[in-house]
Amino acid sequence: MTLNDILVSALAQLDRGHDAQTMEVFRERLTGFANDGQDDLARAMGFDRTDPVTPVNGLVELDRLPRECIKVEKVVQLGREVRCTRERTGLIGLPYNEPAEITYRCLPKKLSSPTDVSELPAGVHSLIVMYVIGRERMAGDASTQRGANIYLSLYEEAKSKLRPHHGDKSSYEIINRW
């Protein structure tokens, strides 16, 4: 779903129009809610990506990765997984001064343009809509706030069923590291 699809769906379920004027009134606030929702889902499902890096004197600055790094999961260098050391905050050391691939947990790119599509899997885009509706209802008067708990409860229940490993083999292995 594009950001525009998320906003139109949320406005429709909130019984508000989705004409250009209504979209302009609600766009900024609902976009903020959509970004908060996708960040929450990314943390719950362990969203990660792999990017190439080139160390300088065996060191990699994590700030130079395309997304904000939450946790380094693995580093592959010279065709095999290698250990990395934490030198300082935002800086890791690698054993070789060769190009590497870092797999890391991160947050998806913020949605801003109407045509932006969330980097999260398509199966969770409807949860972003639920989150937006719940947050918008929470901001209303007392009568609309009661409806927020239904949407947020459904959102939390669906989020609790997300798994960070998607059934990959390494999630079930017991590795003796000593």
Side-chain angles (χ1 to χ4, degrees), residues 34-47 106-108 118 120-121 123-131 155-156 158-160 162-164:
N35 284 322
D36 290 347
Q38 82 167 355
D39 288 353
D40 187 44
L41 289 169
R43 285 186 179 95
M45 65 188 307
F47 180 72
C106 61
L107 298 178
S118 176
L120 297 177
V124 300
H125 290 184
S126 62
L127 295 179
I128 298 172
V129 174
M130 265 193 257
Y131 184 85
Y155 168 80
E156 288 296 331
K159 184 178 86 168
S160 71
L162 297 175
R163 296 292 174 250

Side-chain angles (χ1 to χ4, degrees), residues 4-91:
N4 203 47
D5 294 338
I6 291 169
L7 300 182
V8 167
S9 181
L11 287 171
Q13 291 185 46
L14 288 164
D15 293 328
R16 297 186 182 139
H18 49 77
D19 57 284
Q21 184 179 2
T22 306
M23 289 289 282
E24 194 58 39
V25 169
F26 291 102
R27 180 177 305 284
E28 186 177 343
R29 183 170 62 218
L30 297 185
T31 298
F33 294 157
N35 284 322
D36 290 347
Q38 82 167 355
D39 288 353
D40 187 44
L41 289 169
R43 285 186 179 95
M45 65 188 307
F47 180 72
D48 63 4
R49 61 181 281 147
T50 302
D51 288 312
V53 294
T54 304
V56 177
N57 296 326
L59 300 175
V60 174
E61 291 182 47
L62 297 177
D63 292 341
R64 294 189 178 222
L65 293 169
R67 302 283 182 276
E68 181 183 351
C69 179
I70 295 173
K71 176 185 177 185
V72 174
E73 292 182 329
K74 80 175 181 180
V75 178
V76 175
Q77 210 172 25
L78 299 174
R80 63 185 180 90
E81 192 172 335
V82 295
R83 293 181 63 129
C84 60
T85 59
R86 180 175 181 255
E87 299 297 318
R88 292 190 311 270
T89 301
L91 194 66

